[in-house]
Amino acid sequence: QGQLTESGGGSVQPGGSLRLTCTTSRFRSWCMGWFREAPGKEREGVAFIRSDGGTKYAESAEGRFTISKDNAKDIMYLQMNSLKPEDTAMYYCAADTRKYGGTCSFGRVFDSWGQGTQVTVSS
């Protein structure tokens, strides 16, 4: 397994924006994703991206969040716009380092996880 490190979290007002960054080391992955976990709730998938650029979003993120990846630098991003209080959560990046190809979406098993970065949206 490689290492994943998230950054870019913080506190913003509703309607604000943040860009999360996930840096990777020692591996490349066909499928990566962003997840979040709010207090008292289960971890949920937010967005997923394949190495060929294909993406998938949770309904709550569609139209507001954009996942992207710089394959040359092995960095993944999550641009979050129009943030809402319900977006408040710990955000994690994850990668499937064992399987190449296939569907990159909800239900995929990810074996490498970062430590998380906190996003707080409040006025």
Side-chain angles (χ1 to χ4, degrees):
Q1 297 180 353
Q3 285 186 312
L4 301 174
T5 305
E6 305 95 337
S7 63
S11 296
V12 295
Q13 293 185 340
S17 298
L18 284 173
R19 187 176 80 158
L20 305 183
T21 298
C22 175
T23 57
T24 69
S25 66
R26 303 203 302 269
F27 72 91
R28 288 189 173 179
S29 172
W30 164 256
C31 178
M32 297 185 67
W34 286 98
F35 291 77
R36 68 186 182 186
E37 186 171 342
K41 296 186 177 181
E42 292 187 356
R43 187 173 297 189
E44 63 177 1
V46 177
F48 305 91
I49 188 165
R50 306 190 311 243
S51 290
D52 65 0
T55 58
K56 180 74 174 179
Y57 294 92
E59 186 174 334
S60 60
E62 193 78 56
R64 299 188 300 126
F65 295 2
T66 302
I67 189 171
S68 60
K69 190 163 178 270
D70 184 332
N71 287 325
K73 297 180 179 179
D74 293 330
I75 299 176
M76 180 175 67
Y77 304 96
L78 184 68
Q79 177 67 43
M80 304 187 295
N81 299 326
S82 302
L83 283 162
K84 305 175 182 180
E86 51 264 43
D87 294 318
T88 295
M90 185 72 79
Y91 283 71
Y92 300 89
C93 66
D96 179 356
T97 67
R98 297 171 299 186
K99 180 182 176 182
Y100 184 87
T103 301
C104 180
S105 184
F106 307 93
R108 181 100 176 195
V109 176
F110 293 87
D111 60 292
S112 289
W113 293 81
Q115 294 300 305
T117 185
Q118 178 68 38
V119 171
T120 302
V121 185
S122 69
S123 54

